[in-house]
Amino acid sequence: MQKLDKAKALYLTFASLLVVGVIVWNLGVRGGHVEPVASDACVACHLDAQIITGLYIPPETAGGGGG
Amino acid sequence: MEGIEKFLVRADFLETEHGRLGCIACHGGENITDREQAHAGMTVMPSSSTEGVCAECHGEITETYATAIHYTVQGMANFFDNFVHPGVLEEEDSGFKVAFDNNCYKCHATCGSCHVSRPVAYGGGLHSQHQFTSTPPMGETCFGCHGARNAGEYMGVIGYTRDIHFQQGMHCKDCHPVSNFHGTGEVEQTMWEVDLPGCTDCHGEMLTANSPIEAHREHPADLMNCQVCHASANNNCFECHATLQPDGSVAGVAEAMRVMFKIGLNPEPTPERPYRYITLRHIPTLIDTFSTLAGELPNFHEFSNWKYSPTHNIQRVTMQNESCNSCHGNEFIFLREQDIRENDSEASKDLVVRQIPAPLP
């Protein structure tokens, strides 16, 4: 009986370590996480066509190149 | 392009998963209304590195994209390794490196260059008012870098006809698998070594012994690429000179561009492209193209000015396949000795068709 309890405890310890290990590994693979950041001041201008038109003077551009 | 075509953000973007993060989460900067201070320290292109913000959620794509030719522009880097010497772009004082960094590298594409904005080479700015598009709009993105040739021809902006597949509403990605854009994880050296689509992927039955098309039964499948019969004239550039601009950029100016159709000999048949005859395109490199920035190209004569062209303006009926003798005996559509220009490379002569297929009775 005592032998069985010991085996159970050992099994539980390994199982818990495995679960913790998988969680840590996953965090490493997935990297960080992008958190929302308040940006209402940016939005106030970039949603307004009139403001954007007034603030931006287009330069001369070229395009449509190669391959 | 006006400011609204580049920097205006549509209101419903803010309701999307990306939009809910807020501008500063990806771009940095400050949440204040003073324009200068708000933009100080911000990142215009958060995806400029494949380890940047996109990798946080799309790591399985950014990992392979780091090896993709659209990201590395390795194909253009190879040009200098071949024409000058391997490693020339590692040399800090090299004028060739100046040309690469300040011209060729403009076609380096980040995730955002296609999925949210236009490529830098096409003026940049948001193509869909900051909506992320899983399938980028072809005319705003692919065309931005490939417009003078394949994409322009496909869409009928260059040359005499559009491609039948474009007329049928097909996008580049309807033929090109996603690995052609995102890479596979294997570092790509040239566009020729990737898993490119082939006409027979869809039209395989046309090249069998039982093909309903007589011309297909008469010509072996390895005699010529499909474009020899089914492409139209393409864009060819001649005599390009690179010059350093006052702002530090490098401009390449071709003396001439001509829409023309030429068939030549395949100088390097491969298992993927075993053809004897191929469609061609002239590239404008001269031995002294970079002479104002660096020296002459020492290996210029080893590479042909006429290149294999998988021309993208396919039509079922073309001027050269209307009848047998539209091609047989028609010397004007084959690359001849007199088509080789004085300042073309020696290797260009290997593609000349010295004996054209005889006219049929």
Side-chain angles (χ1 to χ4, degrees), chain A residues 4-5 8 21 24 26 37 43 51-52 56 63:
Chain A
L4 199 66
D5 283 348
K8 256 188 190 171
V24 168
N26 248 314
V37 180
V43 166
I51 293 176
I52 291 292
Y56 180 73

Side-chain angles (χ1 to χ4, degrees), chain B residues 126-146:
Chain B
L126 303 164
H127 59 57
S128 304
Q129 297 181 356
H130 218 305
Q131 285 285 15
F132 283 82
T133 51
S134 170
T135 298
M138 188 166 56
E140 298 271 17
T141 54
C142 312
F143 181 82
C145 290
H146 300 280

Side-chain angles (χ1 to χ4, degrees), chain B residues 235-241 253-260 282-286 306 339 341 343-344:
Chain B
N235 195 18
N236 297 265
C237 298
F238 299 89
E239 302 188 18
C240 181
H241 285 105
V253 180
E255 289 298 317
M257 285 162 75
R258 284 194 199 139
V259 174
M260 55 200 288
H282 191 273
I283 61 153
T285 308
L286 298 172
W306 289 96
D339 294 318
R341 298 158 75 97
N343 48 17
D344 278 347

Side-chain angles (χ1 to χ4, degrees), chain B residues 94-126:
Chain B
S94 165
F96 295 113
K97 181 175 163 55
V98 173
F100 179 79
D101 289 350
N102 300 316
N103 184 297
C104 311
Y105 203 69
K106 272 199 271 182
C107 282
H108 153 76
T110 67
C111 310
S113 302
C114 298
H115 290 289
V116 71
S117 64
R118 301 176 193 91
V120 171
Y122 199 43
L126 303 164

Side-chain angles (χ1 to χ4, degrees), chain B residues 45 62 72 111 126 179 182 240 286 292 351 353:
Chain B
M45 293 186 283
T62 56
T72 63
C111 310
L126 303 164
S179 63
H182 288 173
C240 181
L286 298 172
T292 58
L351 282 70
V353 182

Side-chain angles (χ1 to χ4, degrees), chain B residues 342-355:
Chain B
E342 208 173 86
N343 48 17
D344 278 347
S345 68
E346 286 296 315
S348 306
K349 294 175 183 166
D350 296 343
L351 282 70
V352 167
V353 182
R354 295 178 200 282
Q355 193 171 2

Side-chain angles (χ1 to χ4, degrees), chain B residues 25-43:
Chain B
C26 295
H27 289 282
E30 297 290 332
N31 189 27
I32 46 180
T33 48
D34 179 86
R35 183 189 175 194
E36 299 300 327
Q37 289 179 41
H39 290 101
M42 74 164 281
T43 306

